[in-house]
Amino acid sequence: MSSLMAGAMSIVLFAAHRSFPSEIQGLQHWAGGLLLLVMAALLYSARNSGPILGDIVVLMANSVLLWGIGLAMIGTQVFYGQRPQWRLFHVVWAVGMAGIGYSLFIESDFTIRVAIFSFLVSIFYCSQLWAIIRHGESHFSTTFFAALILFQTLVVLTRGLLVLFGGEYTDLMRPGYFQSLYLATSNFMVLLLAVGFMTVATRRLQAILERRSTLDPLTQVLNRRGFADIYAKERALLQRNCDHLTMLSIDLDFFKAINDSHGHLTGDRVLINIAKVIGKVLRTSDHLARFGGEEFVVLLPGTGIERALSVAERIQGAIKLPCEGIKKGSLLPACTVSIGLACQMDAEEDLDSLLMRADKALYAAKDGGRDRVEIADALAPAMRAVRA
Ligand SMILES: Nc1nc2c(ncn2[C@@H]2O[C@H](COP(=O)(O)OP(=O)(O)OP(=O)(O)O)[C@@H](O)[C@H]2O)c(=O)[nH]1
């Protein structure tokens, strides 16, 4: 039954590995680890194949079992971005094989075998627990997974200690109370641990998809949806702090000509470069978005017109600097931007109104000859109408 569960979970984890984004690593190690557990169970079922052959089969089964549990540890470490401890994996395996081999072929002792196996396996579990504690996010999925690994560590350690000092275990077929409990729950734990890992992986998938839905795929800055979320938060702060919030609407000049003469691919590289250059000029508390096409929007919280104007001019200057193209030594086509600037002081004004004012200023900059900054009226006409 436990082999069936491990086999089924191995397939689930492998399927997840094939379909989840590449940022989620470790699923393949867990899938492989579970498959090894299935193989170990199959080998154990052949342990009564004669005195010597039986012992060889048991040694092989223990070896495969250690690989399986060790591979799950590697999977968890890779998942949390840690460097996988392959050396620990190999040392534990080598010590395990030496100890278990000794207790099988030189001095036949079942309790020593169980104790060695339990302590070595608990090293793998402790190492996973450490990775989760150090790198796990504060979320139910992590707590659940960590609790399962902790429980398993304690169970395995207790098993080893009871065997060594409690004299509980002398025969696999006649186990004591704790060992019976261990054998009964271990099948279920294989399933639960795999589910626990799948839970943290699914949680990470959710976070990645949420982040992707707010980012522009080409430039990796915010898209309109992500920008609207950020604006809502900044506006709420504006309502509390009675501060300024300034928006820059930035549009490349004659971008169609760049596309026409250099190709769409170079046009894309120009857009990516513009996003990078603007991002470098901004503070970490500022926000940059691409609203499709060649239009970028910047939100400067706690910033009045004067400072925003200097930010806009720095952006213009930085964009004019030559940038390396696709081929080494080649340069991206030179370009300029026009910028419309609108400052929000009234917390009642909304995103559409602020955008409309910034865009109007942008059109004025375009009409005025491009490569320039224009400042919008203090308040949108619509707002003035409401007040009148
Ligand atoms: N390479 C590339 N081009 C894009 C993308 N989105 C829109 N464009 C192009 O951007 C160009 C925008 O052209 P226009 O709206 O005429 O603007 P412009 O040529 O910059 O002229 P002005 O804004 O008036 O200075 C069009 O040729 C679009 O095809 C994109 O994601 N990548």
Side-chain angles (χ1 to χ4, degrees), residues 135-203:
H135 304 286
E137 65 165 328
S138 149
H139 185 262
F140 167 77
S141 57
T142 309
T143 314
F144 176 59
F145 185 42
L148 288 173
I149 295 278
L150 177 65
F151 178 76
Q152 184 70 350
T153 312
L154 293 176
V155 166
V156 171
L157 272 176
T158 310
R159 182 181 183 224
L161 289 173
L162 279 178
V163 165
L164 266 191
F165 303 111
E168 224 205 82
Y169 219 155
T170 51
D171 190 333
L172 187 64
M173 293 301 128
R174 280 184 280 116
Y177 175 72
F178 182 82
Q179 308 299 345
S180 306
L181 196 69
Y182 168 80
L183 292 173
T185 56
S186 61
N187 297 345
F188 191 50
M189 277 313 287
V190 170
L191 178 70
L192 265 186
L193 287 169
V195 168
F197 184 68
M198 194 63 197
T199 313
V200 286
T202 312
R203 160 68 190 166

Side-chain angles (χ1 to χ4, degrees), residues 14-34:
F14 185 71
H17 160 65
R18 294 300 299 264
S19 52
F20 280 19
S22 59
E23 293 106 301
I24 303 178
Q25 286 292 316
L27 288 156
Q28 69 275 41
H29 298 93
W30 266 81
L34 288 167

Side-chain angles (χ1 to χ4, degrees), residues 218 251-257 259-260 263-269 271 290 292-294 338 366 370:
L218 180 69
D251 192 277
L252 264 86
D253 299 327
F254 304 118
F255 186 54
K256 188 172 178 319
N259 266 335
D260 291 347
H264 218 261
L265 207 66
T266 303
D268 281 354
R269 288 188 64 86
L271 292 173
R290 179 179 172 232
E294 81 285 25
S338 301
K366 291 270 180 190
R370 295 180 174 79

Side-chain angles (χ1 to χ4, degrees), residues 91-372:
V91 167
V92 165
W93 176 80
V95 172
M97 286 306 92
I100 295 169
Y102 181 86
S103 71
L104 273 169
F105 300 109
I106 298 178
E107 201 169 311
S108 183
D109 190 335
F110 186 71
T111 54
I112 289 292
R113 214 168 84 204
V114 172
I116 289 173
F117 186 84
S118 303
F119 291 133
L120 290 178
V121 157
S122 66
I123 293 174
F124 286 152
Y125 287 126
C126 283
S127 183
Q128 284 187 75
L129 196 58
W130 183 235
I132 302 168
I133 290 169
R134 279 188 67 197
H135 304 286
E137 65 165 328
S138 149
H139 185 262
F140 167 77
S141 57
T142 309
T143 314
F144 176 59
F145 185 42
L148 288 173
I149 295 278
L150 177 65
F151 178 76
Q152 184 70 350
T153 312
L154 293 176
V155 166
V156 171
L157 272 176
T158 310
R159 182 181 183 224
L161 289 173
L162 279 178
V163 165
L164 266 191
F165 303 111
E168 224 205 82
Y169 219 155
T170 51
D171 190 333
L172 187 64
M173 293 301 128
R174 280 184 280 116
Y177 175 72
F178 182 82
Q179 308 299 345
S180 306
L181 196 69
Y182 168 80
L183 292 173
T185 56
S186 61
N187 297 345
F188 191 50
M189 277 313 287
V190 170
L191 178 70
L192 265 186
L193 287 169
V195 168
F197 184 68
M198 194 63 197
T199 313
V200 286
T202 312
R203 160 68 190 166
R204 183 166 295 174
L205 174 69
Q206 181 200 5
I208 288 172
L209 293 183
E210 265 173 23
R211 201 183 44 195
R212 279 190 186 175
S213 73
T214 62
L215 291 185
D216 169 44
L218 180 69
T219 58
Q220 295 299 307
V221 298
L222 293 170
N223 60 16
R224 191 178 272 267
R225 184 181 158 198
F227 186 81
D229 292 346
I230 295 279
Y231 174 82
K233 286 184 194 137
E234 294 296 352
R235 184 174 174 235
L237 282 177
L238 181 75
Q239 274 163 342
R240 212 177 324 141
N241 302 339
C242 303
D243 207 343
H244 299 80
L245 192 57
T246 298
M247 177 179 284
L248 306 179
S249 185
I250 305 171
D251 192 277
L252 264 86
D253 299 327
F254 304 118
F255 186 54
K256 188 172 178 319
I258 292 179
N259 266 335
D260 291 347
S261 47
H262 299 275
H264 218 261
L265 207 66
T266 303
D268 281 354
R269 288 188 64 86
V270 168
L271 292 173
I272 294 169
N273 183 56
I274 295 279
K276 215 183 324 167
V277 168
I278 298 177
K280 277 191 192 152
V281 171
L282 301 180
R283 292 177 182 167
T284 46
S285 53
D286 302 333
H287 312 285
L288 169 64
R290 179 179 172 232
F291 275 19
E294 81 285 25
E295 186 185 354
F296 291 88
V297 174
V298 167
L299 191 67
L300 305 165
T303 305
I305 288 181
E306 248 171 68
R307 201 187 85 77
L309 196 55
S310 107
V311 172
E313 283 164 358
R314 268 190 288 137
I315 289 174
Q316 281 190 308
I319 285 174
K320 280 180 195 161
L321 295 176
C323 266
E324 204 168 303
I326 303 174
K327 289 190 202 128
K328 213 167 164 46
S330 72
L331 292 178
L332 283 176
C335 53
T336 60
V337 288
S338 301
I339 302 180
L341 184 158
C343 182
Q344 174 172 359
M345 286 173 283
D346 190 328
E348 296 305 312
E349 188 174 13
D350 63 12
L351 179 58
D352 286 343
S353 163
L354 184 63
L355 265 174
M356 199 179 73
R357 289 197 298 121
D359 278 348
K360 223 174 147 189
L362 172 66
Y363 299 143
K366 291 270 180 190
D367 288 345
R370 295 180 174 79
D371 189 18
R372 53 190 285 141

